[in-house]
Amino acid sequence: MNNALINDEPIPLLKRLNWQDWLYSIVLLAGAIFAFNRYSHHMDVYEQGFLFGAVATFSWLGWSWKAMRNLVLGVGVLSLFAIFVYDADLQRAEQAFFLKYLISSQSAIMWMNVLFILATVTYWVALFNRSQFTGKFASSLAWAAVLMGFVGLMVRWYESYLIAPDVGYIPVSNLYEVFILFCLITALLYLYYERRYATRQLGGFVMLIISAAVGFILWYIFDREAYTIQPLVPALQSYWMKIHVPANFIGYGAFSLAAMVGIAYLLSARGILASRLPSLDTMDDLMYKAIAVGFAFFTIATILGAMWAAEAWGGYWSWDPKETWALIVWLNYAAWLHLRLVKGMRGPILAWWAVVGLFVTTFAFIGVNMFLSGLHSYGEL
Amino acid sequence: MRFAVSLLTVLGIASIIGTVLKQNEPYTNYIIQFGQFWFEVFEVLGLYDVYHSVWFLLILLFLVISTSLCVYRNSPNMLREMRVWREHATEKSLRAFSHQHEYQANGTPDEIRAGLTRFLTARGFRFKTVQHENGDQLIAAKAGTYQRLGYIFTHTAIVVICVGGLIDGNVPFKVQELLGYKTVEVRDIAASEVPAESRLSTANLSFRGNMTLPEGTSADVAFMRMRDGYLVQELPFRVALKDFRIEHYATGQPKSFESDLVITDPDLAEPLEATISVNKPLIYKGIAIYQSDFQDGGSNLDFNLWGLFSNQVAPLSVRGTIHQEVTLGEGDTALTVEFDDFRKFNILNLTADGKGKPHNVGPNVTFKVRDTQGQAREYVTYMQPLKLDERFYFVSGMRPALQEEFKYLRIPVDENFEIEGFMRLRAAMMDSAAHAEIARRLTKSSLSADADNDDMKGKFESSVTQLLRAFAEGGYTRIAALIEDSVPEEQRDNAAQTYIKIISSAAFEAHNLARERADKSPAVADEETLIFLQDSLNSLSDIFFYGAPFYLELKEYEHREASGLQLTRSPGKNLVYSGSVLLVLGIFAMIYIRERRIWLLVKSDNRVLFAMSSNRKNRDLDLEFARYQEQLQRLLA
């Protein structure tokens, strides 16, 4: 916060940027221009908009959250390296050392899984030892996991095109891919708040839910071979999906984060780990912030979903089980925010509610796919 | 508010019921699932179409009204709050604030005031200065007042979205139905015969109907499924399907569904041609036409009909058309084959552990065989042999009722990859006239030639004949029954083994007899032949459970597809979308704009009282206050 002030006067974002910020944005822009020159004839107007929109979005993200710059550049460099090593030959995944052990999508995602588990353990060690250093190390592990996860998704994107040009798609389309996305987004949200609130003590809790998702991914990989890239069914071939799904997962990720903080809150309120965890007020505030972000993005995602449904199914709202459960999740958190913002409620009730909310959210996320049938039957187990 | 919350809760619960109970199924499915009594109870409650039931719509309406009232009552207050400066705050009340601090400032009053206003402006506060009679100056500042617009926006948005939804719901029909003008048609009759009270005119404001068009046909009405019947929606134009295409990926999975449509309309100089696909509808005259599904449009199929329990060697030809039926036989034993569906591509995963890759196994046909009593069994038969457990079989599934799983009959392929080999063997095994000959050959080949005991040969022959007859009457089940009837319990295992052995050996003789009759060279008893015979005997035993006295082998097809289109007119869509935009704006305003007010009371003795408040007391306020308090300290020092 202090570096945002000169003589006690706040300075606008643009004046705060240093040469690294500008270099970062120039690299992004150069990449976009390169891609545009080379591939613009394959893109429609939306995709061109997305390309340059991404430059703006990631510039802004990197400017306001410096660690993001390293992540974006790291993902870019590793992904380009993977593409270079692949040399347009899918067989290289088994032959080239770097691909086989490090950055083919399957390996990178495995690394992500391992790193998330390690991060979870390390965060808990840090919590019990009250060790600043271990905490920092845990954060680094989490960042590394996020890096590898994004590299895995990027390379998977490339690999899907190597299978056949008409098979290629952005990997946010099946349960396996969105679970990875869920881990990454939840971790990123957590890492953001970790810095904002200058506390690493909640890492262990948040990483638990990520580890659970990692467990699911592992089961999915080993039991169902979910990593095989299957081409998209016609209904999913839409640019709406590419924004609907990530927006939804910002929502799911934020709600999960809030629930895990809620658990920490409830434990702390009972005196368990109280001396090691942040103050109740801090956790309460974090919970609110997370749910607010989640709610905003979940709303957007649901609306985008409705617009997509209008285009694919002929109606913006069909009372399909997934839609209906999205509505229930939405109503649930709307009530939560109402109680807090309008009635001024605080404390354990809201924490409990956030925890219960996770179950509702989880049901909407996977339960619907498992138990109920409907139009959203792409993600069946 | 409390009322609205309880309505929302009811709505939530109703919605959950709607997701758990499959909506808009054919009513017979519900009767099977719940039984007659509960079926009727649930029907009265409207649970089969919760989201369009009268009570659900009424709750929605109440919500709209109560939310509208809420907005109407509170908005003026909110807007006033946004405008006011609260410049009449007294020193006493400011001192009562939880967030307040007093400073002793240095400098002239003007300098102090200039510093303070700069301080406020730099932080995005707008302010108003009032001069008090006692010489004090009060600077009343505010920021983030647009937060209150968030409240108005979100609540208005909910009303707008619900109204849009109600417009697009079937409220007008509901009303007409209640007044007795319209009814749901439940009879299965041609669209043109549906009476006016089940037809909706082109003036209907909003609808969502379906249309199934076989290639080369056209229609100017859509059907709307409703409860246990349907309604006919007339369209202001005619839609014709020129061609329907499915494209596939290299792996066989479908890649795209496309329909080439031709729209004819008196308003058009010439017909409008357009291609629609999933995610790419056509909008004409405010009606959107979507690619929704596809089905068979009446493919012509040529079958070989093999009698399963006869000695018939050559098959009969049968021609069938999907959605039509063929009657086989006469009188009480007549069977009607109803051809239901033909699929050209079937992506199946046939690996034993289910872990392999699914692939296309070629066409299949689904049909029902109905007897004169009306009892029907459903069959699904694959045209090409499927690879199961490393061997190839002609596969046909049967189920006696729709809710049951298919049980599959697998018939092994012969050396030419055809069904003939099995059918020849079957003809011999089912031919009682051939049993004696088979038995004779078996005796000759299995008993040593010089065995002089003619009596024993005769006994053996007759028991083989007997076994063959039993097998032809009921397969292994019949043999088992035979053993149970005639063999003492402790010898049954041995007897069973012997009998099975005899039948296997007899099958080999039957196989060669059949080959002889078909002018084919005799088979050698190699492993390939033995496995074929083993599989054949299993199939021969299974045909007694197949339920039909014949096997329909699909030989040729002439594929004709039908495209399923969905047609919607939803004028409420724009309302819903604008409501959605409003909702997002409102949510961001409510959450991310924080309304804060600051009062700086500059007393004539250079004391400055700093007070701060927010309509939401939270950590952000504490932090911001602490920061400003420090900054003001430095500013005023």
Side-chain angles (χ1 to χ4, degrees), chain B residues 369-572:
Chain B
V369 177
R370 198 178 292 278
D371 63 18
T372 46
Q373 314 289 308
Q375 293 294 317
R377 288 189 166 88
E378 192 180 29
Y379 293 86
V380 56
T381 303
Y382 289 86
M383 182 176 186
Q384 290 156 11
L386 309 187
K387 191 177 181 188
L388 302 166
D389 309 332
E390 298 307 310
R391 296 187 47 78
F392 286 91
Y393 300 90
F394 287 94
V395 173
S396 175
M398 182 278 288
R399 56 180 176 186
L402 283 179
Q403 63 271 26
E404 284 179 37
E405 296 270 326
F406 278 110
K407 290 199 179 91
Y408 291 92
L409 171 69
R410 15 156 118 179
I411 296 176
V413 297
D414 63 13
E415 69 272 26
N416 300 325
F417 231 64
E418 297 287 350
I419 205 169
E420 269 81 8
F422 169 81
M423 287 299 171
R424 273 198 305 270
L425 175 67
R426 182 264 318 150
M429 293 290 282
M430 291 294 167
D431 184 2
S432 53
H435 289 164
E437 172 64 15
I438 297 169
R440 198 187 58 73
R441 290 185 177 204
L442 180 61
T443 316
K444 198 176 151 204
S445 67
S446 52
L447 296 185
S448 50
D450 55 314
D452 47 5
N453 196 341
D454 280 347
D455 185 37
M456 186 184 155
K457 278 187 182 172
K459 260 190 183 165
F460 183 72
E461 257 186 58
S462 83
S463 56
V464 171
T465 316
Q466 213 183 339
L467 266 183
L468 284 173
R469 194 191 316 127
F471 191 78
E473 279 167 6
Y476 286 129
T477 327
R478 186 63 208 277
I479 304 285
L482 200 74
I483 294 173
E484 216 156 287
D485 283 349
S486 55
V487 181
E489 204 174 333
E490 63 276 11
Q491 294 170 18
R492 279 181 194 164
D493 278 353
N494 276 335
Q497 276 177 19
T498 317
Y499 285 7
I500 288 172
K501 224 174 186 171
I502 292 175
I503 288 173
S504 305
S505 314
F508 179 71
E509 298 300 337
H511 182 50
N512 272 339
L513 175 69
R515 291 180 69 87
E516 227 175 275
R517 289 179 176 174
D519 285 334
K520 289 188 179 282
S521 59
V524 228
D526 55 5
E527 200 193 340
E528 192 62 19
T529 312
L530 292 180
I531 294 177
F532 169 76
L533 289 174
Q534 198 50 55
D535 283 340
S536 296
L537 285 175
N538 289 339
S539 315
L540 277 172
S541 193
D542 285 344
I543 58 176
F544 294 97
F545 302 97
Y546 187 57
F550 52 77
Y551 183 86
L552 281 173
E553 183 201 5
L554 180 56
K555 293 302 284 181
E556 300 281 338
Y557 61 84
E558 187 192 316
H559 197 197
R560 188 178 183 218
E561 289 171 297
S563 181
L565 306 178
Q566 185 165 83
L567 295 99
T568 65
R569 181 190 267 166
S570 49

Side-chain angles (χ1 to χ4, degrees), chain A residues 166-336:
Chain A
D166 63 347
V167 170
Y169 65 89
I170 297 184
V172 288
S173 312
N174 59 37
L175 207 53
Y176 172 69
E177 291 154 358
V178 298
F179 254 93
I180 297 166
L181 191 68
F182 170 80
C183 293
L184 297 178
I185 287 178
T186 313
L188 271 184
L189 283 169
Y190 165 72
L191 288 167
Y192 175 76
Y193 287 119
E194 178 180 279
R195 192 193 63 118
R196 264 305 287 279
Y197 288 80
T199 164
R200 291 203 165 85
Q201 291 118 312
L202 291 167
F205 286 89
V206 180
M207 287 294 149
L208 276 184
I209 190 98
I210 296 178
S211 294
V214 164
F216 178 85
I217 293 173
L218 289 176
W219 170 80
Y220 214 35
I221 288 177
F222 289 118
D223 199 70
R224 301 292 178 94
E225 302 187 357
Y227 51 81
T228 37
I229 297 175
Q230 299 279 359
L232 291 184
V233 298
L236 291 182
Q237 297 163 7
S238 166
Y239 57 81
W240 288 107
M241 181 180 69
K242 296 153 200 166
I243 41 179
H244 166 65
V245 175
N248 235 323
F249 278 84
I250 296 179
Y252 288 149
F255 293 150
S256 311
L257 175 71
M260 297 319 281
V261 175
I263 291 175
Y265 182 100
L266 291 171
L267 287 178
S268 180
R270 282 174 173 65
I272 304 166
L273 295 174
S275 66
R276 289 181 159 81
L277 288 170
S279 72
L280 287 181
D281 280 349
T282 308
M283 288 194 277
D284 182 77
D285 196 60
L286 210 167
M287 210 156 59
Y288 159 68
K289 290 274 164 62
I291 286 184
V293 172
F295 185 72
F297 277 92
F298 194 78
T299 311
I300 294 175
T302 308
I303 293 167
L304 288 174
M307 293 170 118
W308 181 14
E311 202 174 291
W313 300 332
Y316 49 82
W317 196 259
S318 314
W319 293 103
D320 161 69
K322 195 85 174 180
E323 284 175 351
T324 312
W325 276 94
L327 178 68
I328 292 165
V329 169
W330 190 84
L331 288 176
N332 178 50
Y333 287 105
W336 195 96

Side-chain angles (χ1 to χ4, degrees), chain A residues 42 47 88 90 154-171 229 242:
Chain A
H42 291 300
E47 285 157 340
L90 201 53
M154 297 291 273
V155 176
R156 188 178 169 88
W157 188 1
Y158 177 70
E159 285 169 1
S160 70
Y161 276 90
L162 283 188
I163 290 178
D166 63 347
V167 170
Y169 65 89
I170 297 184
I229 297 175
K242 296 153 200 166

Side-chain angles (χ1 to χ4, degrees), chain A residues 8 230 232 313 316 346, chain B residues 123 168 253 566 617 634:
Chain A
D8 278 353
Q230 299 279 359
L232 291 184
W313 300 332
Y316 49 82
R346 295 283 188 284
Chain B
R123 282 155 190 79
D168 286 347
Q253 283 117 313
Q566 185 165 83
K617 303 249 178 299
R634 285 195 286 271

Side-chain angles (χ1 to χ4, degrees), chain B residues 245-275:
Chain B
R245 286 180 303 276
I246 305 180
E247 279 178 42
H248 294 263
Y249 292 107
T251 49
Q253 283 117 313
K255 180 169 145 190
S256 74
F257 306 113
E258 286 183 359
S259 295
D260 290 340
L261 302 181
V262 183
I263 307 249
T264 42
D265 180 351
D267 295 353
L268 283 173
E270 54 187 76
L272 173 74
E273 298 205 11
T275 299

